[in-house]
Amino acid sequence: MTSDRAVTSDGSGPVPGTAGHAPGKPAGQVSGRPDGEWQRVHPASPFIRGWVALAAICFFFGRDIFERMLQGRPLLDELYEGRVPFLLAGGGLVLLLSVLGFIMTWYFTRYQVAEGYVRVNTGFLFKQQRQARLDRVQAIDIVQPLLARIFGLAELKFEVADAGESAVRLAYLRVDDARQLRATILARAAGLEPDPERPQAALPEAPEYAVLSVPPSRLVGSLLLSEQSFFVVLGAVASVVLSAVTENRGFYFYLIPAALGLAAAYWGSFNKGYNFTAAISPDGIRLRYGLLDTLAQTLPPGRIQALKVTQPPLWRIFGWYRMQVNVAGYGNAGSNGEGATRTTLLPVGLLDDVMRMLSLVLPDPGTPEPVRVFSAGLTGLAPAGERSGAEAAQPGEAEGGFVTSPRRVRLLAPLGWRRNGFTATATALLIRSGRVWRELVVVPHQRTQSMALHQGPLARRFRVADLVLHTTAGPVSPRLIQAGLDEARALFDAQAARAREARKRQTSEQWLAQVAQTAPAAVAAVAAVSEAGATGEAAPADTPPAGPGPETPDLHTPHHRQDQQKGPEHG
């Protein structure tokens, strides 16, 4: 049994005083209602999940008969002619047991939303209960494989903190039911409560405001100019040269598996990145994408642990960038293609698109000149004659306020020392690196879990060090490369203090209590950043204060617990 709550010794319920119910109400009630009603998934769910098993059974029993029919031979071998009734009975029994197993799986699969938890019970021989606290929900995805789309069904995935895989998966529900359940869970996670006069009324889905979309032509171009294409072309050139020099045509055969692998990678990326759209709503950032299998993600505000913006060399021709994030619960994206797709905030976009998404992830950039600071992080490069270290960060001297590596490390990093650097705003730490493969990492101060200073033999010789920030598993690994030793130590202490102060201000796990006034501001920031990006100027410092606007919903902040959170640990 997988569980995310504390239970009593007999397993009967939550320990008194633990989180999981609305403050001021006894455990076991939500907004004056008793425990939520247990419900079942769609009856067709086990057949959609198990169609591969059914197809395998049909293939096993029908392959030989089909081949004989095509060849004009008798359908059954002479050895089996007297055993036809037994064979049919055996095949029918296997098929009946399989269907019966699917039906039993469906009957014993139930879910419930109550007591501040979402629970799923499965299994009729080996029972399992999976549950997650609503206030720890990191993201909710609606997944529609091709077969599920045909039947109008969808799978719901709930990600919670400290989970290496999806804590709860509901497969499958009707699409409308899945959307309604997502809206209900997000509302409960945010601390909103149903109307006491109509406790059974369904909570409406929050409105959304479109931010950007990725054209298919740009997606195809990004694939053709990707790193994989570069290395395949380089391998093809090497094969041609070796074949011409050695007069051995066998080198061409090495290109066949590379071409097949590249085609499969192209198709996978195109299938998962097709029709990518992003929108902002009071629930969070909504992402939709997919050609055959579609996926709709909802990332609640403040759940993103770290963000990375990268630019491969060939993408500079068109000014394209890619954005990836760490979200607690998604785990390491490198383990499978699905995880890599779910941690992609923007597969390919222009600078204006990057600024729009940054304004959603970080509504308060913590600086009056966000466009100047983030542009310096993306494309900035310290002049060759500029002073290094903290001296370069004096006002008006360093572009965007970035502190770069000292000049003495130019022997260790002749290309990167003018690019590697950091700066800190009031809300986040920015780390840039890479002169060929550009990279900018943004870590909100309150998401800094721990830090460590690394220094090898050569680093000690040149008096530099690397500062590593530890966050949740994912594609983003925040690391400041080859900073001056004094600057690295000062940043270590300063970032620890900033993280502690930020965590003190974040006193509620119910995310809407923290950002109820920032969703409208994020919408306004998108427009401000877009206008600033088009004119090349900094975003105006007098951006309208956060609060419900005329075109955005009024978000009512619920009462919430004051759960003091600990500051970061020093690694």
Side-chain angles (χ1 to χ4, degrees):
M1 177 183 296
T2 302
S3 178
D4 190 40
R5 65 168 181 171
V7 297
T8 57
S9 58
D10 59 356
S12 59
V15 176
T18 59
H21 56 276
K25 293 180 175 63
Q29 291 187 349
V30 178
S31 305
R33 293 180 58 189
D35 288 358
E37 181 180 353
W38 286 95
Q39 303 182 53
R40 290 189 174 91
V41 297
H42 195 274
S45 301
F47 298 97
I48 295 179
R49 290 199 306 266
W51 71 269
V52 176
L54 291 177
I57 293 174
C58 295
F59 176 78
F60 179 79
F61 286 99
R63 179 187 62 177
D64 189 61
I65 297 176
F66 184 71
E67 290 178 354
R68 288 175 173 272
M69 183 177 62
L70 293 179
Q71 296 172 2
R73 300 161 54 190
L75 297 182
L76 293 176
D77 193 275
E78 296 178 357
L79 298 176
Y80 300 107
E81 288 183 355
R83 306 175 185 175
V84 172
F86 300 100
L87 293 177
L88 293 178
L93 180 61
V94 172
L95 184 61
L96 179 62
L97 291 177
S98 300
V99 174
L100 182 61
F102 289 157
I103 295 176
M104 296 295 290
T105 300
W106 165 80
Y107 183 80
F108 286 96
T109 299
R110 301 183 301 167
Y111 67 92
Q112 177 198 54
V113 180
E115 294 181 336
Y117 289 85
V118 55
R119 302 183 179 92
V120 176
N121 289 344
T122 58
F124 59 93
L125 291 180
F126 301 95
K127 295 185 178 296
Q128 182 185 56
Q129 182 188 72
R130 309 198 73 176
Q131 63 181 14
R133 279 172 44 184
L134 294 181
D135 58 2
R136 299 298 299 275
V137 170
Q138 302 292 316
I140 298 182
D141 303 342
I142 295 181
V143 185
Q144 283 189 282
L146 181 59
L147 189 60
R149 291 177 63 186
I150 295 175
F151 288 93
L153 303 179
E155 177 185 3
L156 214 58
K157 292 184 179 180
F158 311 93
E159 304 290 349
V160 296
D162 304 326
E165 59 180 13
S166 297
V168 176
R169 300 176 64 136
L170 289 178
Y172 290 87
L173 306 173
R174 282 189 286 265
V175 175
D176 293 339
D177 294 341
R179 291 173 180 169
Q180 180 59 58
L181 183 58
R182 178 181 66 175
T184 300
I185 291 177
L186 286 173
R188 298 289 182 87
L192 297 179
E193 299 179 0
D195 188 354
E197 298 180 358
R198 296 184 303 164
Q200 302 291 341
L203 295 173
E205 190 171 8
E208 65 180 43
Y209 307 88
V211 176
L212 59 87
S213 61
V214 177
S217 58
R218 185 188 300 170
L219 180 62
V220 173
S222 68
L223 296 176
L224 296 178
L225 296 178
S226 62
E227 300 92 329
Q228 296 92 331
S229 301
F230 173 78
F231 288 112
V232 168
V233 172
L234 186 63
V237 172
S239 299
V240 172
V241 172
L242 290 175
S243 298
V245 172
T246 62
E247 298 183 355
N248 183 359
R249 300 298 183 265
F251 288 101
Y252 291 117
F253 291 102
Y254 293 105
L255 296 178
I256 297 177
L260 293 177
L262 184 64
Y266 280 166
W267 168 250
S269 300
F270 182 79
N271 181 39
K272 295 175 181 177
Y274 181 80
N275 197 30
F276 184 95
T277 59
I280 180 65
S281 77
D283 288 341
I285 303 173
R286 293 182 180 177
L287 308 176
R288 294 185 178 88
Y289 48 87
L291 179 60
L292 299 181
D293 300 347
T294 62
L295 192 147
Q297 287 181 255
T298 301
L299 300 177
R303 296 305 199 192
I304 295 178
Q305 310 293 314
L307 178 145
K308 177 174 67 174
V309 184
T310 57
Q311 185 183 47
L314 296 179
W315 285 18
R316 296 188 192 181
I317 301 173
F318 299 98
W320 292 338
Y321 298 87
R322 179 190 299 119
M323 301 181 70
Q324 295 174 291
V325 293
N326 284 1
V327 179
Y330 278 175
N332 196 335
S335 59
N336 56 78
E338 180 186 4
T341 304
R342 297 172 69 195
T343 55
T344 299
L345 192 64
L346 179 64
V348 55
L350 301 173
L351 181 60
D352 289 346
D353 300 329
V354 172
M355 293 299 179
R356 291 189 186 100
M357 298 305 292
L358 282 171
S359 67
L360 302 184
V361 176
L362 205 65
D364 179 12
T367 173
E369 299 179 314
V371 175
R372 173 176 173 267
V373 172
F374 286 100
S375 297
L378 293 171
T379 61
L381 187 67
E386 188 176 340
R387 290 175 291 179
S388 62
E391 297 179 353
Q394 299 299 324
E397 294 185 2
E399 183 183 10
F402 276 84
V403 179
T404 57
S405 299
R407 289 178 56 86
R408 58 180 177 269
V409 301
R410 61 186 182 274
L411 296 178
L412 297 178
L415 296 178
W417 73 272
R418 294 166 54 195
R419 168 71 182 163
N420 301 335
F422 72 92
T423 189
T425 69
T427 56
L429 177 67
L430 282 64
I431 302 174
R432 73 182 189 188
S433 61
R435 190 165 179 178
V436 179
W437 272 271
R438 292 174 177 171
E439 180 177 300
L440 173 66
V441 174
V442 181
V443 182
H445 294 320
Q446 69 270 23
R447 300 304 172 191
T448 303
Q449 297 184 0
S450 63
M451 296 180 293
L453 283 173
H454 292 182
Q455 189 180 44
L458 282 178
R460 287 195 295 269
R461 171 66 179 80
F462 286 89
R463 298 191 71 253
V464 294
D466 292 358
L467 179 64
V468 179
L469 279 72
H470 302 138
T471 67
T472 57
V476 185
S477 300
R479 187 185 188 100
L480 175 62
I481 302 174
Q482 295 173 346
L485 184 59
D486 295 336
E487 289 79 8
R489 289 172 175 171
L491 177 61
F492 185 95
D493 296 332
Q495 184 62 19
R498 284 190 290 260
R500 281 194 299 268
E501 292 300 319
R503 286 179 179 269
K504 289 179 181 178
R505 292 192 296 269
Q506 180 185 337
T507 56
S508 173
E509 289 183 347
Q510 293 177 341
W511 50 265
L512 187 60
Q514 310 164 34
V515 297
Q517 302 299 322
T518 61
V523 178
V526 170
V529 171
S530 301
E531 181 179 356
T535 60
E537 299 176 355
D542 55 348
T543 301
E551 299 181 356
T552 54
D554 187 6
L555 306 180
H556 301 282
T557 306
H559 297 287
H560 57 275
R561 301 184 311 275
Q562 298 292 328
D563 297 333
Q564 190 71 20
Q565 300 193 26
K566 297 181 180 179
E569 300 175 356
H570 286 203

